[in-house]
Amino acid sequence: MFNRKSKTKARKTYDSENWRPVLKCSICTGEQTAGFQEIHTGQFEDIMLVRGQKDLDEFISSYGLDSSNITKIY
């Protein structure tokens, strides 16, 4: 009864006026990291490593994003 995790995932939020969702991709290794980039300074804050479509879908659903709004940066 104690220490049980809730089965419903709470939707995470971010400041959409100052941050935009991005997928940072390495040209050399192909590694991808999902996160947010500050619009004014370009600072990147990584959230999670993306190893496949399942990880990307998890990132999109946890923040309630539209996949067409996620841009790639290199």
Side-chain angles (χ1 to χ4, degrees):
M1 184 166 162
F2 295 107
N3 296 328
R4 288 190 185 181
K5 292 185 178 181
S6 174
K7 295 199 185 259
T8 59
K9 292 184 179 180
R11 181 164 286 171
K12 299 175 184 177
T13 61
Y14 70 101
D15 183 6
S16 61
E17 291 183 18
N18 296 314
W19 295 83
R20 66 181 176 142
V22 296
L23 194 59
K24 186 174 182 181
C25 305
S26 171
I27 296 171
C28 298
T29 63
E31 181 178 86
Q32 297 181 349
T33 306
F36 295 97
Q37 183 178 32
E38 191 172 20
I39 295 170
H40 306 290
T41 64
Q43 176 188 354
F44 177 74
E45 182 179 322
D46 63 333
I47 301 297
M48 66 182 296
L49 180 65
V50 176
R51 295 185 193 113
Q53 188 63 40
K54 182 180 176 185
D55 291 336
L56 183 59
D57 291 341
E58 180 182 332
F59 174 70
I60 290 170
S61 67
S62 66
Y63 285 93
L65 302 172
D66 183 14
S67 62
S68 64
N69 291 342
I70 300 176
T71 57
K72 288 187 177 183
I73 58 173
Y74 297 94

